C-alpha cells in the first residue's frame, strides 16, 4: 500500500462514517467526549478499520 492511498482511505472513512455519527454524539452527551472516543477506538467497526490503516501507515514510515 502506498502512503497516499492509506491517507485517502482514512479520510474517506472519517468523512463517510465518523462525521455526524449519531452514536458518538449520544455517547458524548451521556458519558463525555473521552468515553465516546474510547468506544470509537475499541468497539466500533470503523474504528477497527482506522486502527488497521494506522498500523499500515506505521509500516510505511519505517
Amino acid at each position: 500500500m502506498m502512503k497516499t492511498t492509506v491517507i485517502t482511505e482514512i479520510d474517506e472513512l472519517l468523512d463517510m462514517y465518523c462525521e455526524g455519527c449519531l452514536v458518538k454524539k449520544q455517547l458524548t452527551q451521556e458519558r463525555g467526549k473521552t468515553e465516546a472516543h474510547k468506544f470509537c477506538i475499541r468497539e466500533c467497526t470503523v474504528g477497527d478499520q482506522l486502527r488497521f490503516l494506522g498500523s499500515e501507515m506505521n509500516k510505511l514510515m519505517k
Side-chain angles (χ1 to χ4, degrees):
M1 240 182 206
M2 292 180 54
K3 182 178 174 182
T4 55
T5 305
V6 174
I7 292 172
T8 302
E9 287 186 35
I10 289 171
D11 285 341
E12 287 174 359
L13 280 173
L14 290 172
D15 289 343
M16 187 179 301
Y17 296 107
C18 300
E19 257 329 287
C21 175
L22 296 176
V23 175
K24 182 178 179 183
K25 183 178 179 180
Q26 185 66 32
L27 286 173
T28 302
Q29 290 175 350
E30 291 176 4
R31 301 183 198 167
K33 187 176 179 179
T34 303
E35 289 300 317
H37 184 72
K38 286 179 186 177
F39 169 82
C40 294
I41 292 172
R42 295 180 182 155
E43 298 178 41
C44 180
T45 56
V46 177
D48 287 339
Q49 185 64 25
L50 289 170
R51 271 197 329 270
F52 169 75
L53 291 171
S55 67
E56 291 297 309
M57 180 68 81
N58 284 336
K59 290 177 188 175
L60 293 173
M61 300 303 276
K62 291 181 179 182

